Amino acid sequence: MLDQEFERIGKRLFLEGLVGANFGNMSVRAEEGGFHITRTGAYLDTCEMPAFVPEKGDAPREASSEYRVHRAVYRETPHCAIVHAHPVHAVAASLDADIIRPADSEGGMLCPAIPVVTGSPGTDEIAENVSGALRDGHIVIVRGHGTFAAGKTLDEAYIYTSIAEYACRILFLSGRLLRTL
């Protein structure tokens, strides 16, 4: 059942252009401690059972290389689901801004300030920076890399991912992004 939920959200991410090829990953907190995460190199729109990563100790080899970020977020926040995507406009906006302030009404209401943090993929630095940003919010952009969105469900995390990309696209099309730098 969990594999079908991951596939459903993965298909939405692909349809909206928020991920490409086998980029991105997602996870859900497990009742037994730890979390279920997409497998390394997996296409998000296919039905494949996620890997289980315990709260402490080694992660299985098949777990996504971003498991450190997911583990840190679950350790530091009450969030129960995470979506990591590579939305093009959000990534481009992160190259020149330290914070994104959506100009559209939905973005302004639901995520009025989107922090941009640094860190190389798969490192403790990115895990620390993303978990810190998600303590008080639902969405963060890693400079030049992608978004991490968190919420109660995968659907909620997907929505925040979509909102961030939509807001960045509007900022680019309106020319406002350059004026806010």
Side-chain angles (χ1 to χ4, degrees):
M1 191 75 160
L2 192 57
D3 56 339
Q4 293 171 353
E5 181 70 1
F6 276 55
E7 178 187 21
R8 184 178 67 78
I9 297 298
K11 284 182 177 180
R12 285 184 176 179
L13 292 165
F14 269 106
L15 285 172
E16 200 170 326
L18 300 171
V19 295
N22 60 349
F23 305 159
N25 48 69
M26 55 188 134
S27 70
V28 174
R29 190 187 294 258
E31 289 181 21
E32 63 270 16
F35 55 95
H36 299 277
I37 190 168
T38 48
R39 294 172 178 269
T40 188
Y43 291 93
L44 299 185
D45 64 342
T46 60
C47 193
E48 187 173 349
M49 198 60 182
F52 178 76
V53 177
E55 275 181 39
K56 297 177 183 172
D58 294 334
R61 288 181 27 162
E62 66 270 13
S64 168
S65 60
E66 293 288 13
Y67 77 87
R68 287 175 186 82
V69 174
H70 295 253
R71 184 182 271 168
V73 171
Y74 293 133
R75 198 176 282 153
E76 305 274 331
T77 76
H79 296 304
C80 295
I82 300 167
V83 169
H84 168 48
H86 296 250
V88 174
H89 294 88
V91 171
S94 76
L95 299 174
D96 295 316
D98 294 326
I99 192 159
I100 306 294
R101 297 192 187 281
D104 63 296
S105 59
E106 288 78 12
M109 284 188 309
L110 297 171
C111 43
I114 304 169
V116 176
V117 299
T118 59
S120 297
T123 64
D124 289 334
E125 177 190 12
I126 192 176
E128 182 179 321
N129 292 343
V130 167
S131 64
L134 291 177
R135 273 189 215 117
D136 298 319
H138 291 276
I139 184 82
V140 60
I141 306 171
V142 177
R143 189 176 319 282
H145 180 58
T147 57
F148 282 89
K152 294 180 185 108
T153 64
L154 283 175
D155 276 302
E156 184 178 15
Y158 158 76
I159 288 167
Y160 280 105
T161 303
S162 182
I163 289 168
E165 175 64 358
Y166 189 81
C168 290
R169 193 174 327 149
I170 287 174
L171 288 171
F172 274 112
L173 291 172
S174 69
R176 289 180 181 223
L177 185 65
L178 295 175
R179 288 184 283 198
T180 62
L181 299 177

